[in-house]
Amino acid sequence: MKRVVITGAGTINALGHDVPETLVAMREGRCGIGPLEFRDVERLSIAIGGQVKEFEAEGRFNRQQMTLYDRFTQFTLVAAKEAIAQSGLEFIGELAARAGVVLGTAGGGVSTWDDNYRAVYEEGKNRVHPFVVPKLMNNAACSHISIEYNLKGPSFTVSTACASSNHAMAQAFQMVRSGMAPAMVTGGSESMLCFGGVKAWEGLRVMSKDACRPFSANRNGMVQGEGAGIFVFEEYEHARKRGAEILAEVAGFAMSSDASDIVMPSKQGAARAISGALADARLNPEDVCYINAHGTGTAANDKTECAAVADVFGRHADDLMISSTKSMHGHLIGATGAVELLACIMALRDGVIAPTIGYEEFDPECALDVVPNEAREAKVDVALSNAFAFGGLNAVLALRKV
Amino acid sequence: MSVKDKVIGIIAEQAVLEPSDVTMDSTLEDLGIDSLGLVESIFAIEEAFDISVPFNANEPEQSDFDISSVAKIVEGIEKLVAEQHG
């Protein structure tokens, strides 16, 4: 089996339009959540989110591209540009033939659905733009990366709600580890912050009206975010030979299914994914210094996740740090694991643990070191990233310092 | 139909019971209604009475809407109907 390393990272999210800006915000514990701005927002009872601001697609993309790129594709291409540039890879010849793209998204082109349903239902129009289908399809973003960068190997999109990115990155990891591909572009993208997207979530009554406060006793729900996180996963020797900068090693992963409830999380399902990732990476529980939590800020997730961590790590659960950066960038649904992987890279490479901001009251059901409100310096050799989706589908990645 | 009968009808349908099996002192738990069933019931109530019910599933005890028994739910809805259509 090959070793797999990360040689490029890119993002756009409510905290920043690139990786350096995002990491500075995480380090400073800045909150990217604020009032939502889009059409009909006044008809929503949930009016906050981690929206990407000051992002003008016009100017970045030409007119023809604009007709094909939903906002989730735009985010993907912006993040992919940063990640691939950092990696220094040029996809030509044999590398291009074997490298592909595996991305996660839960909703795909949600605002394209929204805009066009509005046109035909509300405005009574009887005609939509000819590119509505290629614009809204879940694999649009994946395909546009493949087209833009000449990636001709295996490419597809994974959709497992809030675990989409972690499932996608696990697939890309497996492909590189097995020798199937020398490099893969992977991560995820999501853009559900439009009237229909937020209205659907409102119905579940799990959204907070004021803030995302993971692990805090007074937490009252999740806050949605948007954006993308894209990475280049590369075979270690391939990266070493060309002298590429290595951000971190992807050491292992595991996936599990709760097989119980469509929305309520399961401690056992989460614990099996966490311990499975450790076993796959051949790590001992004591090796783990930091966990980037799923930490949605809902009553159910946070206590279940803490109980799962306590089960897997035993006494060591009290020695490790676990934080939820959703408090800052919101819950990016299908892109969340990808943006959160940046916090793991920061922990491993820079020795900085991103905080859980908005933490106000101790909750005995979340009695772990959640790195409240302020970032912390620590030497971290191994970090995990948790993602537990609606539908009971879990995926955990294990990263190691190189 | 009174508010009470309408609410009992909605809860009975959610619980897959006859309305006669739903008593005023029943709790949702007694009736086998879980958190998702509760959210669905509240949606049905909002639609039936054309009201908005302030309820967050993350903090049921802190919501302004008491769901501790069928009687409390009926009482809450009567109040909301009066406030929002009074």
Side-chain angles (χ1 to χ4, degrees), chain A residues 203 205-207 220-221 262-264 298-299, chain B residues 35-36 39 42 46 53 55-59:
Chain A
R205 295 176 184 263
V206 293
M207 309 279 283
N220 61 1
I262 197 69
V263 290
M264 291 306 283
T298 60
Chain B
S35 61
L36 207 55
V39 169
I42 290 176
E46 287 184 325
V53 178
F55 178 79
N56 179 339
N58 290 290
E59 43 182 13

Side-chain angles (χ1 to χ4, degrees), chain A residues 206-290:
Chain A
V206 293
M207 309 279 283
S208 171
K209 286 183 181 176
D210 48 16
C212 174
R213 300 183 199 87
F215 309 119
S216 191
N218 63 342
R219 66 187 180 276
N220 61 1
M222 55 174 274
V223 173
Q224 239 193 102
E226 66 173 354
I230 302 289
F231 301 90
V232 176
F233 283 11
E234 186 173 351
E235 193 267 309
Y236 174 66
E237 288 299 331
H238 190 277
R240 207 180 54 84
K241 266 186 214 148
R242 62 185 192 89
E245 186 196 348
I246 292 171
L247 305 178
E249 176 173 2
V250 187
F253 77 99
M255 312 176 187
S256 70
S257 308
D258 298 342
S260 63
D261 192 274
I262 197 69
V263 290
M264 291 306 283
S266 140
K267 181 180 82 168
Q268 289 81 4
R272 284 191 294 119
I274 296 168
S275 54
L278 294 176
D280 184 57
R282 295 167 198 245
L283 292 165
N284 296 313
E286 298 72 38
D287 297 332
V288 177
C289 317
Y290 171 63

Side-chain angles (χ1 to χ4, degrees), chain B residues 6-32:
Chain B
K6 240 167 139 175
V7 170
I8 285 179
I10 289 167
I11 291 173
E13 197 184 340
Q14 189 68 43
V16 203
L17 293 170
E18 288 302 319
S20 54
D21 295 331
V22 177
T23 62
M24 289 298 269
D25 57 358
S26 312
T27 67
L28 296 176
E29 204 181 352
D30 295 339
L31 301 168

